[in-house]
């Protein structure tokens, strides 16, 4: 009985951790590399129509990967997340310069492999197409090579 309760509690904690991690992945894979490529803040990107299109594609692809792999986060779908993303999350970090941009400026390796690279690896395991993630990933990897 205690073991069953412990296992059930463990499953709840595991789900809560997964939800939190995917929330962080959604935010970071959308903003960090694009901020480095454009050399600007999160808020400035939210005011650029073309950047918003890219961010929307990244969010949609991440939700496709999450769905295929059976993961969930706090928001049930991409549209719900985008509403919170643009109305709350980005404004709260408006002046933030991404860690990827800061790493580029320092000439040190970025976290692209653990961010968008992770989404790509999971997508590959489930045969999900993620062309925007791949493009962003390849641009950052090219920028890293250039900076060596």
């Amino acid at each position: 009985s205690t073991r069953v309760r412990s296992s059930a509690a463990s499953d709840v904690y595991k789900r809560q951790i997964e939800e939190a991690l995917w929330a962080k992945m959604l935010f970071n894979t959308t903003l960090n590399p694009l901020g480095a490529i454009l050399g600007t803040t999160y808020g400035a990107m939210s005011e650029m129509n073309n950047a918003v299109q890219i961010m929307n594609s990244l969010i949609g692809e991440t939700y496709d990967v999450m769905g295929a792999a059976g993961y969930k986060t706090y928001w049930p779908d991409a549209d719900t997340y985008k509403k919170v993303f643009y109305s709350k999350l980005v404004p709260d970090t408006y002046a933030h310069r991404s860690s990827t941009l800061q790493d580029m400026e320092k000439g040190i390796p970025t976290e692209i492999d653990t961010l968008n690279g992770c989404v790509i690896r999971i997508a590959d395991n489930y045969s999900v197409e993620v062309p925007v993630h791949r493009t962003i990933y390849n641009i950052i990897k090219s920028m890293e090579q250039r900076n060596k």
Side-chain angles (χ1 to χ4, degrees):
S1 167
T2 303
R3 189 163 184 79
V4 170
R5 256 192 317 243
S6 176
S7 176
S10 177
D11 289 345
V12 169
Y13 297 139
K14 180 181 174 191
R15 189 185 78 250
Q16 289 173 339
I17 290 168
E18 286 176 357
E19 289 174 348
L21 287 173
W22 278 104
K24 188 161 181 63
M25 285 292 281
L26 273 162
F27 186 81
N28 287 333
T29 61
T30 301
L31 292 167
N32 282 9
L34 190 57
I37 293 165
L38 297 176
T40 194
T41 65
Y42 293 169
M45 288 189 299
S46 71
E47 296 171 351
M48 300 173 185
N49 292 335
N50 296 100
V52 168
Q53 289 178 34
I54 295 167
M55 290 187 288
N56 287 343
S57 294
L58 289 166
I59 291 166
E61 288 180 4
T62 301
Y63 266 91
D64 291 345
V65 169
M66 288 169 43
Y71 293 115
K72 294 183 180 175
T73 191
Y74 306 133
W75 308 277
D77 55 54
D79 288 337
T80 303
Y81 177 72
K82 285 187 261 185
K83 288 176 187 165
V84 173
F85 182 75
Y86 292 113
S87 69
K88 173 83 174 125
L89 301 177
V90 172
D92 285 354
T93 57
Y94 189 93
H96 188 82
R97 296 172 71 249
S98 78
S99 58
T100 305
L101 174 56
Q102 294 175 50
D103 290 345
M104 287 286 182
E105 291 172 344
K106 294 174 189 170
I108 61 175
T110 69
E111 297 176 313
I112 196 69
D113 289 314
T114 57
L115 294 175
N116 301 72
C118 180
V119 173
I120 292 166
R121 287 188 300 278
I122 296 170
D124 288 346
N125 285 338
Y126 291 92
S127 301
V128 176
E129 295 296 320
V130 288
V132 181
H133 275 282
R134 284 185 196 286
T135 299
I136 293 290
Y137 176 87
N138 287 324
I139 291 170
I140 293 294
K141 292 305 260 185
S142 297
M143 291 170 71
E144 286 179 337
Q145 288 176 341
R146 178 200 64 203
N147 290 343
K148 282 186 179 180

